[in-house]
Amino acid sequence: MQIWAMGRPASAAALKAEDPSYDVVSPSPFYFPDTDTTPRELTLAEIKEFVALHAEAAHNAVHLAGFDGVEIHAGNGYMIDCFLKEVANWRKDVYGGSIEGRCRFALEVLEAVVQAVGAERTAFRISPFFASYGAYTFLVSINANAMLILFHKECPHPTMT
């Protein structure tokens, strides 16, 4: 089962139809032209909530729905991908700035999911060379190898695809 959060490509109309209190959120308020939406920047408490929700989704998929494992989708411009890339993450707190800061959310999600279902049932998908919807940057490809090295150093067990 692949688990992920939309982030900035989410449809504000679809979210409001589900629950009027839902907002399009992302690490930073980076405009998304396909939906004509500027997402709201996540608070630190909301970031922690998203980490917990990933773990809950993994637990439900493996322990309740009977899936063999989960793949965390951290690519293609969705929530985790936006944290990883400078072009979409302008945060000045511990979740932005350096490669380590930008990787923090992804690593916290990965750790929480591994705790929920085990490393042998956890995969992690990234797309380091994917242009983040309307913003192309060479820094993404330059930093991709450094991110992969950091992920391997911090979490050597999960399968990286």
Side-chain angles (χ1 to χ4, degrees):
M1 166 67 75
Q2 190 176 74
I3 58 174
W4 46 281
M6 283 290 290
R8 74 186 271 268
S11 163
L15 289 175
K16 295 293 182 192
E18 183 70 27
D19 184 326
S21 69
Y22 288 167
D23 291 325
V24 176
V25 293
S26 194
S28 301
F30 180 31
Y31 175 73
F32 186 67
D34 290 1
T35 60
D36 193 28
T37 303
T38 299
R40 179 177 58 76
E41 182 173 289
L42 286 163
T43 66
L44 293 175
E46 289 170 326
I47 291 170
K48 297 298 185 188
E49 183 179 358
F50 269 97
V51 170
L53 289 170
H54 278 83
E56 181 181 354
H59 171 84
N60 291 345
V62 172
H63 299 298
L64 301 180
F67 282 88
D68 292 334
V70 294
E71 178 184 74
I72 302 164
H73 190 341
N76 300 101
Y78 298 123
M79 179 76 76
I80 296 173
D81 191 41
C82 284
F83 270 93
L84 294 173
K85 294 182 177 167
E86 286 176 302
V87 69
N89 181 348
W90 316 327
R91 300 182 73 92
K92 302 292 185 210
D93 59 21
V94 298
Y95 291 97
S98 68
I99 291 171
E100 291 81 7
R102 293 192 322 271
C103 287
R104 186 178 313 280
F105 176 65
L107 291 168
E108 287 178 1
V109 168
L110 186 57
E111 181 178 337
V113 168
V114 167
Q115 289 295 316
V117 300
E120 69 284 352
R121 294 180 180 266
T122 303
F124 194 82
R125 171 193 163 90
I126 62 172
S127 55
F129 303 107
F130 180 79
S132 294
Y133 294 113
Y136 295 85
T137 176
F138 289 109
L139 293 175
V140 171
S141 59
I142 291 169
N143 289 332
N145 286 336
M147 285 184 187
L148 287 172
I149 290 165
L150 178 65
F151 272 104
H152 183 71
K153 176 183 162 202
E154 297 292 325
C155 301
H157 302 292
T159 305
M160 296 183 69
T161 58

